[in-house]
Amino acid sequence: MARELAALPPSLGPVRLIAVDGHAGSGKSTFAGRLAEALGGAPVLHLDDVASHAELFGWEERLRAQVLEPLAAGRPAHWAPYDWVERRFGARRVLEPAPVVLIEGVGAGRRVLRPWLARLLWMETPRAESWLRGRNRDGRELSDFWDEWERAERAHFSRDPSRPFADILVRQSGTGYEWSSGAGGTSATPPPVTEGDGLPRA
């Protein structure tokens, strides 16, 4: 998959922007990290750092101004990650216009971003299973936040679904990952492949 993605034509200025979307708790961050390694250390932008308590899904204009427009012009992007504990944005970080940039998080494949994506990958983990994973990961102290999040995520995907437009569906198996072409795929994709044992689980 890494070889195929690296060979794609640029989609955002000089950048091939690859989105990894899926339900909260579906394993997006772990998979994106492994894919970034296979791509030789491609940068990963986590949408958890872009969203905020006030804007769980209303961050698209800020992302456009801080990240998409600079990368489209071939310039480094300067953006401020959100601190979920302090409830404020932190010091600015730099995102270079690398040949491949991964953007991962719930809503990474939303309608307004798709024109800039070289590929949209969807983590094929059922919503109930994903949310249970997330709740177990974050503990009981965040149960109120998860109640709010589940309502917000359900509303988002109801009005702006990503999965029907995914180029590749990624499934986590007992020995790694398998992938296949999604309904939105516009070109040939690799046959299902399983990686070796020992992959981290999310």
Side-chain angles (χ1 to χ4, degrees):
M1 181 185 289
R3 287 193 296 270
E4 178 189 338
L5 296 178
L8 292 171
S11 60
L12 180 68
V15 174
R16 295 151 186 84
L17 187 63
I18 309 298
V20 180
D21 204 340
H23 298 292
S26 60
K28 299 178 298 300
S29 297
T30 300
F31 176 76
R34 295 307 301 265
L35 183 56
E37 290 179 12
L39 286 162
V44 182
L45 178 65
H46 302 282
L47 289 179
D48 283 350
D49 293 336
V50 176
S52 68
H53 283 93
E55 296 177 323
L56 293 179
F57 289 98
W59 38 257
E60 57 195 36
E61 289 304 318
R62 187 156 37 81
L63 181 71
R64 183 199 303 268
Q66 294 183 354
V67 177
L68 299 181
E69 291 178 358
L71 293 183
R75 297 185 283 100
H78 296 81
W79 61 284
Y82 184 71
D83 188 318
W84 289 88
V85 176
E86 298 293 331
R87 291 178 173 256
R88 59 180 176 82
F89 290 96
R92 286 185 173 268
R93 295 181 185 174
V94 178
L95 179 64
E96 298 289 343
V100 180
V101 173
L102 303 179
I103 178 171
E104 74 83 16
V106 181
R110 61 174 53 193
R111 184 182 303 111
V112 299
L113 297 186
R114 288 197 292 270
W116 290 290
L117 299 180
R119 284 291 184 273
L120 169 55
L121 282 57
W122 174 266
M123 300 301 295
E124 190 74 335
T125 306
R127 181 174 63 192
E129 179 182 341
S130 297
W131 286 354
L132 181 59
R133 281 187 188 180
R135 284 182 177 272
N136 290 339
R137 176 193 64 203
D138 293 342
R140 295 180 61 183
E141 61 272 16
L142 291 180
S143 61
D144 288 344
F145 174 80
W146 267 94
D147 290 342
E148 178 185 359
W149 173 267
E150 289 180 6
R151 289 190 295 269
E153 182 183 312
R154 194 188 301 269
H156 167 73
F157 281 133
S158 176
R159 63 178 177 269
D160 191 358
S162 297
R163 189 187 182 282
F165 302 94
D167 299 292
I168 300 173
L169 304 178
V170 180
R171 296 174 177 85
Q172 202 166 11
S173 71
T175 57
Y177 296 100
E178 300 175 352
W179 56 84
S180 59
S181 178
T186 56
S187 63
T189 56
V193 173
T194 301
E195 297 183 353
D197 291 334
L199 295 181
R201 300 291 181 251

